[in-house]
Amino acid sequence: MEEKLADIRKGFSDFLERENALRTALTLFDWDNETLAPEAASERTAKAYGILSAAYQELFAQDGLEKIFEEMRAAKDSSPLERALARRAEKERRKLLSIPKEEYRRFSELTAGSVQKWSLAKKQDDFASFAPVLEEILDMQRRFASYRAEEGQVPYDVFLSDYEEGFTQEKLDAFFEELKQGILPLVKEVVQRNKERPVSCEFLFQSFDTEKQRHWNKWLAAYLGFRFSRGVLAESEHPFTTSLHRDDVRITTHYYKNNLESAIFSTIHEAGHGIFEQGNDGEVTQTLLAGGTCGVHESQSRFYENMLGRSRAFWEPIYGRLQKTFPEQLEKISLDAFLKAINRSQPGLVRTESDELTYCLHIIVRYELEKRLVGGELSVRDLEKEWKRLYEEYLGVIPKTAAEGVLQDVHWAMGEFGYFPSYALGNAMAAQLYVHMNREIDLEKLLLAGDLDRISGYLREHIHRYGASKGMEELLCEVTGESLDPKYYLEYLKKKYA
Amino acid sequence: MEEKLADIRKGFSDFLERENALRTALTLFDWDNETLAPEAASERTAKAYGILSAAYQELFAQDGLEKIFEEMRAAKDSSPLERALARRAEKERRKLLSIPKEEYRRFSELTAGSVQKWSLAKKQDDFASFAPVLEEILDMQRRFASYRAEEGQVPYDVFLSDYEEGFTQEKLDAFFEELKQGILPLVKEVVQRNKERPVSCEFLFQSFDTEKQRHWNKWLAAYLGFRFSRGVLAESEHPFTTSLHRDDVRITTHYYKNNLESAIFSTIHEAGHGIFEQGNDGEVTQTLLAGGTCGVHESQSRFYENMLGRSRAFWEPIYGRLQKTFPEQLEKISLDAFLKAINRSQPGLVRTESDELTYCLHIIVRYELEKRLVGGELSVRDLEKEWKRLYEEYLGVIPKTAAEGVLQDVHWAMGEFGYFPSYALGNAMAAQLYVHMNREIDLEKLLLAGDLDRISGYLREHIHRYGASKGMEELLCEVTGESLDPKYYLEYLKKKYA
């Protein structure tokens, strides 16, 4: 019996090692594809990527794995982490094995090449050229959802639970309804106020040398607590974070010559993700529970970006440094004026450039659309039209181009339906966390002292170290003593914008 | 029977697909490791790399492969390429299976981390800290050679034949002896002449803005014929070329603020490699016969770097452009003065910065050292001392630091013993090719007209398209009608430097 258990444990750890090695390789291909690979590479690279993905699926199809996972969960001397890993591995096994081999490989090849196709279509502002790719991705994902759906799940639920366990379309309908009711009247107020007293922000859109922006943002990421000995800051069309493990975390940003704000807040946002990944405990990194669940991840990036990154206390010690980097452009701009500008609200077309108040409306548009896409109630053919209609309804603006409309985000091109809600959940969690943290540590004081390490230390201790071994609800209950409640977020917005 | 052959063919193509996918992943890790990965990443990444390498070895250990390769070579309807691939696969199979699993994985992990350790030791100018790593690599490689050596092979032959089939220590002893006898007297002459009439070259070592160098070198690579839609130019400590396939070829260079020449000739050299890889036929890329054999590869890079890149005809149409990029530094420097400077010879310490005449002496030092290391006649402990002794003997200079001495090259840190001779073989092949090509196409005229495409077209047609399916001797015989003969190279050097 002892011996048998030793075999089981050996089988489990062999499996985990291989799983991690293959996944790390796939992650590296994804990273490379989005940051560096040349234009013409994707077709041939996708072939190799497809084969590695198939090997990943095969790995889970090995005989005896189900039994190994089961025994690891049952064994008395398994650690809580081992149990959680076995649970997670079993979930992944079911997911992967529900999909026929050929379809899985086809899908992997498809999504390995689709990001470049999306990027090209966005550059050429041409949704029609990308629509057939998106259609194939959606068809396959819908089919996969039908293979995977458990009793009582609508297809969209399948994806939602991939990103943040426990959330369903039903729950999210209520969550978004509450947000919508809270936010829409505030937006009206803001739009009216803007008309009466427009906020000056043109100074953010002068010409800013890209090389200087690069230096500044690198400094900023380090200031926030992102460790360059264990990480990289690169550039990509769509800023994102990925990691091979806690000692190799990669974030990207995007520099625009005529926009100082864009790179700064992308950098802060992605640094928030990156600090999370770097804060994983040694025993969760390089496992299926590395990183963090999507909603919790977004709570950290939004916490850094908004709660910290748009506050006076954050900028007070460092604004002078920004002025010195761009004296011509900022010398005469006071900290007050700068803060007003970066905290302005104005309904716009682009999610990643949007302010805190309107941000969730961008998510609601996507939520409503993808819910219908996945549910089969909306076709890709009608997507652009519907996108425009909802932007007009919720934000009062209509995109003139696909690039600033339906093609602006990479997610659907990667097959990620059901991810967008994570951003809104993350916003809500961040606000709830903020209220709680302020009771325990004086955030303002720490920010004024430039002691960001103390803040990331708190987050590491209570959140980051666990990786994805704890989900949003579990963490919130442990840290704040409550379930997720959007009231904190709405109160925060009201206080700021009413 | 028919059916059986169809199975064999299917098995062969499945194997090739998987082989290529795994090797592509390993290549991407290597690339990433040398160009981007953060300092602290290597330990954890090496673990994943070791597991993927082990999976690569396992792939070759599958039952029935030997038979598949044999039948593919024997089958009447196999194409010549299929036969060559089956031969190559069988060679690789024998190599991999001769090494015990655990040792192979250990070696892969070791070399995945050793480049970073080498890089650090070089930065800190500290050979002692790197010596134990090198010792372990050498020990393992010597053991592997003993597993693999066939009748009549000395251990060093095993590695030589990995890089360029058909070459042995015996052959190379003769080859290098001939080079040495030809080159040493020329170097003496040059050193004497330098004393009497020193060549002015200080203008190459003024301050040159790195960003401008970047732009210029990118333009230069494209001018040479490197296609950026299917390739990337990046930066690394030690310039190199790698590729995922013909549509994703990656070259690097290295910019020094106070040295204009270094990046230019690194770029030309690596572009030569890159154009080779991009010129592979569609049917050889993504197979075990992609790329090219090492000696042939170096012949192409050296052909571009020296035969073309140091000629008057090459610079005549583009020197003005370089002057315009750096007017302050080069406005008053005539093309004549520039050409004299980039063609000067002066024994120095660093191989990659050395001139055409002394270059092979750098190789001979390494050849003599690694031959003795692999043969067990020299220990890593005595390596630095011996390095200095040979540099003094052949080049009349003694390195003061390990960084410009024994630590200057990455090869041994990667476990590559036996690669260095490829550079000298490549030089000799390049010179032989040059004489022959000039009979068929007027290189000078084409260079003056800036028609580099015609030149790369010729090379693609006669060399690049075949990838590694033809080795140096086969290609030389086909293209020039003769075996490799160092006399062309020595004549070229005499004409230039006597």
Side-chain angles (χ1 to χ4, degrees):
Chain A
M1 195 64 193
E2 284 285 304
E3 212 166 290
K4 205 188 127 212
L5 202 62
D7 283 350
I8 294 273
R9 177 153 272 133
K10 173 80 170 61
F12 190 53
S13 93
D14 280 354
F15 163 80
L16 289 177
E17 276 191 340
R18 281 165 189 255
E19 186 283 328
N20 179 65
L22 270 176
R23 186 161 39 83
T24 305
L26 292 168
T27 303
L28 187 58
F29 274 106
D30 289 335
W31 160 266
D32 189 80
N33 193 20
E34 287 194 55
T35 55
L36 184 74
E39 216 176 281
S42 69
E43 200 181 318
R44 287 185 187 275
T45 305
K47 214 178 128 189
Y49 188 92
I51 289 162
L52 291 174
S53 300
Y56 188 74
Q57 193 194 28
E58 276 169 32
L59 182 68
F60 281 83
Q62 277 175 98
D63 282 343
L65 269 189
E66 188 176 6
K67 184 135 182 292
I68 287 179
F69 298 158
E70 206 182 292
E71 303 228 10
M72 284 304 295
R73 288 168 65 176
K76 273 194 202 125
D77 66 342
S78 287
S79 69
L81 183 69
E82 283 175 324
R83 286 206 184 95
L85 266 173
R87 237 186 344 263
R88 181 76 186 72
E90 178 56 23
K91 184 180 171 187
E92 195 66 22
R93 196 186 70 83
R94 287 202 185 161
K95 172 178 165 183
L96 287 169
L97 299 195
S98 70
I99 301 168
K101 250 166 94 169
E102 271 316 302
E103 289 183 38
Y104 187 74
R105 177 163 160 188
R106 170 70 201 140
F107 183 72
S108 304
E109 282 186 23
L110 187 64
T111 50
S114 58
V115 169
Q116 280 198 329
K117 284 178 191 144
W118 160 78
S119 177
L120 196 68
K122 186 173 172 181
K123 243 177 240 153
Q124 297 171 343
D125 189 25
D126 177 14
F127 180 64
S129 75
F130 185 64
V133 181
L134 184 57
E135 213 154 309
E136 192 177 353
I137 292 173
L138 176 64
D139 277 358
M140 296 200 85
Q141 282 288 43
R142 291 188 59 210
R143 204 152 59 234
F144 295 170
S146 77
Y147 299 148
R148 295 175 53 203
E150 289 171 20
E151 179 116 3
Q153 276 193 317
V154 297
Y156 190 52
D157 285 348
V158 174
F159 301 126
L160 291 176
S161 85
D162 280 347
Y163 295 118
E164 194 62 55
E165 228 163 317
F167 288 90
T168 60
Q169 186 171 319
E170 199 185 335
K171 273 195 196 173
L172 286 180
D173 279 343
F175 172 77
F176 281 121
E177 192 53 36
E178 188 170 345
L179 285 189
K180 209 154 69 177
Q181 298 312 328
I183 292 171
L184 283 176
L186 284 174
V187 174
K188 257 197 187 157
E189 261 183 66
V190 161
V191 169
Q192 186 55 35
R193 203 183 312 137
N194 283 344
K195 270 189 201 143
E196 291 157 12
R197 284 169 293 145
V199 178
S200 155
C201 63
E202 331 72 51
F203 59 84
L204 294 172
F205 305 95
Q206 304 170 77
S207 175
F208 296 91
D209 179 70
T210 308
E211 199 52 31
K212 280 188 189 165
Q213 285 198 58
R214 251 180 221 120
H215 275 102
W216 161 263
N217 279 282
K218 195 170 173 187
W219 174 84
L220 181 62
Y223 178 77
L224 288 160
F226 183 77
R227 296 285 166 261
F228 280 95
S229 59
R230 307 198 278 123
V232 162
L233 170 61
E235 291 163 47
S236 65
E237 168 64 26
H238 201 301
F240 71 104
T241 297
T242 191
S243 77
L244 305 190
H245 46 69
R246 52 170 277 169
D247 298 329
D248 190 340
V249 177
R250 294 153 185 229
I251 63 179
T252 71
T253 190
H254 192 147
Y255 302 105
Y256 298 95
K257 206 167 170 41
N258 298 308
N259 186 338
L260 178 64
E261 185 184 43
S262 176
I264 288 179
F265 287 97
S266 289
T267 302
I268 303 179
H269 180 97
E270 302 305 334
H273 284 303
I275 290 165
F276 189 169
E277 298 273 337
Q278 291 189 333
N280 273 194
D281 270 351
E283 56 176 5
V284 302
T285 194
Q286 294 195 294
T287 75
L288 275 162
L289 294 171
T293 64
C294 298
V296 180
H297 237 306
E298 292 305 331
S299 80
Q300 300 305 288
S301 54
R302 304 293 289 174
F303 184 85
Y304 274 91
E305 180 186 350
N306 294 327
M307 272 73 206
L308 306 184
R310 297 189 199 269
S311 73
R312 167 177 291 274
F314 177 76
W315 282 102
E316 209 153 281
I318 66 172
Y319 181 62
R321 195 180 176 106
L322 185 62
Q323 284 180 306
K324 264 188 209 143
T325 308
F326 299 107
E328 245 178 79
Q329 297 92 332
L330 298 181
E331 210 170 36
K332 291 182 184 151
I333 307 299
S334 68
L335 176 58
D336 269 344
F338 178 76
L339 286 167
K340 259 190 198 142
I342 63 170
N343 282 292
R344 75 194 182 284
S345 173
Q346 174 72 52
L349 293 165
V350 180
R351 177 183 64 85
T352 54
E353 313 279 317
S354 71
D355 56 83
E356 285 174 283
L357 177 61
T358 57
Y359 188 89
C360 280
L361 298 177
H362 292 264
I363 298 304
I364 291 172
V365 169
R366 287 154 181 78
Y367 172 71
E368 295 191 2
L369 292 173
E370 65 179 16
K371 189 173 76 172
R372 287 161 59 203
L373 283 170
V374 172
E377 297 136 33
L378 175 66
S379 71
V380 170
R381 210 182 31 243
D382 297 325
L383 178 60
E384 193 166 16
K385 202 181 64 197
E386 279 298 288
W387 180 285
K388 287 181 181 170
R389 190 180 65 76
L390 287 176
Y391 260 83
E392 189 174 15
E393 183 176 338
Y394 293 144
L395 289 130
V397 292
I398 306 174
K400 286 201 187 65
T401 68
E404 56 179 19
V406 67
L407 281 181
Q408 69 183 260
D409 292 309
V410 69
H411 306 62
W412 292 338
M414 297 167 77
E416 291 187 352
F417 300 96
Y419 190 96
F420 284 117
S422 312
Y423 294 110
L425 294 169
N427 278 340
M429 172 169 178
Q432 188 164 338
L433 196 62
Y434 182 75
V435 170
H436 176 81
M437 270 174 83
N438 250 329
R439 290 184 200 131
E440 303 215 334
I441 56 176
D442 187 338
L443 285 168
E444 194 180 345
K445 202 170 136 197
L446 292 171
L447 288 174
L448 285 171
D451 191 358
L452 276 287
D453 281 354
R454 192 60 209 295
I455 300 173
S456 61
Y458 180 96
L459 294 169
R460 183 167 56 246
E461 185 56 27
H462 293 89
I463 296 174
H464 302 173
R465 51 182 298 200
Y466 299 112
S469 66
K470 301 187 179 189
M472 183 180 278
E473 285 290 14
E474 186 176 356
L475 283 170
L476 272 176
C477 288
E478 279 184 18
V479 181
T480 73
E482 292 181 282
S483 278
L484 180 71
D485 189 337
K487 81 172 177 203
Y488 293 101
Y489 184 50
L490 287 172
E491 274 164 20
Y492 167 84
L493 290 177
K494 255 178 225 153
K495 198 171 146 198
K496 192 157 179 177
Y497 292 104
Chain B
M1 193 64 192
E2 282 288 301
E3 211 164 290
K4 207 188 124 209
L5 202 62
D7 283 351
I8 294 273
R9 176 153 273 132
K10 174 81 170 59
F12 190 54
S13 93
D14 280 354
F15 163 79
L16 290 177
E17 276 190 341
R18 280 164 188 254
E19 186 283 329
N20 180 65
L22 270 176
R23 186 161 40 83
T24 304
L26 292 167
T27 303
L28 187 59
F29 274 106
D30 289 334
W31 160 265
D32 188 79
N33 193 20
E34 288 194 52
T35 55
L36 185 72
E39 217 175 281
S42 69
E43 202 181 317
R44 287 185 189 276
T45 305
K47 214 177 127 187
Y49 187 91
I51 289 161
L52 291 175
S53 300
Y56 187 73
Q57 194 194 27
E58 274 168 34
L59 182 69
F60 281 84
Q62 277 176 98
D63 282 342
L65 269 189
E66 188 178 3
K67 186 140 180 291
I68 288 180
F69 298 158
E70 207 183 290
E71 303 229 9
M72 284 304 295
R73 286 167 67 176
K76 274 195 203 123
D77 67 341
S78 287
S79 68
L81 183 69
E82 282 175 325
R83 287 204 183 95
L85 267 173
R87 233 182 350 259
R88 181 76 186 74
E90 177 56 22
K91 185 181 171 186
E92 195 65 22
R93 195 186 71 84
R94 288 203 183 161
K95 172 178 166 182
L96 288 168
L97 298 196
S98 70
I99 302 168
K101 251 167 92 167
E102 271 315 303
E103 291 183 37
Y104 187 74
R105 176 162 161 191
R106 170 70 201 138
F107 183 72
S108 304
E109 282 186 25
L110 187 64
T111 50
S114 58
V115 168
Q116 280 196 329
K117 284 177 189 145
W118 160 79
S119 177
L120 197 68
K122 185 174 174 182
K123 245 179 235 151
Q124 299 172 339
D125 190 25
D126 177 12
F127 181 62
S129 74
F130 185 64
V133 181
L134 184 57
E135 214 154 309
E136 193 179 351
I137 292 173
L138 177 64
D139 278 357
M140 296 200 83
Q141 281 288 41
R142 290 188 60 208
R143 205 155 56 237
F144 295 172
S146 76
Y147 300 148
R148 294 176 53 204
E150 291 172 17
E151 179 116 2
Q153 276 192 318
V154 296
Y156 189 51
D157 285 348
V158 174
F159 301 127
L160 291 176
S161 83
D162 279 348
Y163 295 118
E164 193 62 56
E165 228 164 318
F167 288 91
T168 61
Q169 186 170 319
E170 201 186 334
K171 272 194 197 172
L172 286 180
D173 279 344
F175 172 77
F176 281 122
E177 193 52 37
E178 188 171 346
L179 285 188
K180 208 153 72 176
Q181 297 313 328
I183 293 171
L184 283 176
L186 284 175
V187 173
K188 257 196 185 164
E189 259 183 68
V190 161
V191 169
Q192 187 54 36
R193 204 184 310 139
N194 283 344
K195 271 188 199 146
E196 292 157 13
R197 283 169 291 147
V199 178
S200 156
C201 63
E202 328 73 49
F203 59 84
L204 294 172
F205 305 97
Q206 304 170 77
S207 176
F208 296 90
D209 179 69
T210 307
E211 200 50 33
K212 280 189 189 162
Q213 285 197 57
R214 250 180 221 119
H215 275 101
W216 161 263
N217 279 281
K218 196 169 173 190
W219 175 83
L220 182 62
Y223 178 75
L224 287 160
F226 184 76
R227 295 284 165 261
F228 281 93
S229 59
R230 305 197 281 125
V232 162
L233 170 61
E235 290 163 48
S236 66
E237 168 64 25
H238 201 301
F240 71 103
T241 297
T242 193
S243 76
L244 305 189
H245 45 69
R246 52 169 279 170
D247 298 329
D248 190 340
V249 177
R250 291 149 186 233
I251 63 179
T252 72
T253 190
H254 192 145
Y255 301 105
Y256 298 95
K257 204 166 170 44
N258 297 306
N259 185 339
L260 178 64
E261 185 185 42
S262 177
I264 288 180
F265 288 97
S266 288
T267 302
I268 303 180
H269 180 97
E270 302 305 334
H273 284 303
I275 290 165
F276 188 169
E277 297 273 336
Q278 292 188 331
N280 273 194
D281 270 350
E283 57 175 3
V284 302
T285 196
Q286 293 193 296
T287 75
L288 275 162
L289 293 172
T293 65
C294 297
V296 179
H297 237 306
E298 291 304 332
S299 80
Q300 300 305 289
S301 54
R302 303 294 288 174
F303 185 86
Y304 273 92
E305 180 186 352
N306 294 326
M307 270 74 204
L308 306 184
R310 296 189 198 269
S311 72
R312 166 175 293 272
F314 177 76
W315 283 101
E316 211 153 278
I318 66 173
Y319 181 61
R321 196 181 175 108
L322 185 63
Q323 285 180 306
K324 263 188 212 146
T325 308
F326 299 107
E328 246 178 76
Q329 296 94 329
L330 297 181
E331 207 169 38
K332 290 182 184 150
I333 308 298
S334 69
L335 176 59
D336 268 343
F338 178 76
L339 285 168
K340 260 191 198 144
I342 62 170
N343 282 292
R344 76 196 181 282
S345 172
Q346 174 73 52
L349 292 165
V350 180
R351 177 182 64 84
T352 54
E353 312 280 316
S354 72
D355 55 84
E356 283 175 284
L357 179 60
T358 58
Y359 188 89
C360 279
L361 298 177
H362 292 265
I363 298 305
I364 291 172
V365 169
R366 288 154 179 77
Y367 172 70
E368 296 190 3
L369 292 172
E370 65 179 16
K371 189 172 78 172
R372 288 162 58 202
L373 284 169
V374 173
E377 297 135 33
L378 175 66
S379 70
V380 169
R381 210 180 35 239
D382 298 325
L383 179 60
E384 191 165 18
K385 203 180 65 195
E386 280 296 289
W387 180 286
K388 287 181 180 170
R389 190 180 67 76
L390 288 177
Y391 261 84
E392 190 174 14
E393 184 178 336
Y394 294 144
L395 289 130
V397 293
I398 306 175
K400 286 202 187 65
T401 67
E404 56 179 18
V406 66
L407 281 180
Q408 68 183 263
D409 293 309
V410 70
H411 306 63
W412 292 339
M414 297 167 77
E416 292 187 351
F417 300 97
Y419 188 96
F420 283 119
S422 313
Y423 293 111
L425 293 170
N427 278 340
M429 175 169 174
Q432 188 165 339
L433 196 63
Y434 182 74
V435 169
H436 175 81
M437 271 175 83
N438 250 328
R439 289 184 200 132
E440 302 215 333
I441 56 177
D442 188 339
L443 286 168
E444 195 182 344
K445 202 172 138 194
L446 292 170
L447 288 173
L448 285 171
D451 190 358
L452 277 287
D453 280 354
R454 192 59 211 293
I455 300 174
S456 61
Y458 180 95
L459 294 168
R460 182 165 60 246
E461 184 57 25
H462 292 90
I463 296 175
H464 303 171
R465 51 183 295 203
Y466 299 111
S469 66
K470 300 187 180 191
M472 183 180 277
E473 285 291 13
E474 188 177 355
L475 283 171
L476 271 176
C477 287
E478 280 184 18
V479 180
T480 72
E482 288 181 285
S483 279
L484 180 70
D485 189 338
K487 80 173 179 201
Y488 293 101
Y489 184 50
L490 288 172
E491 275 165 17
Y492 167 84
L493 291 176
K494 255 178 225 155
K495 198 172 147 195
K496 192 157 179 176
Y497 292 105

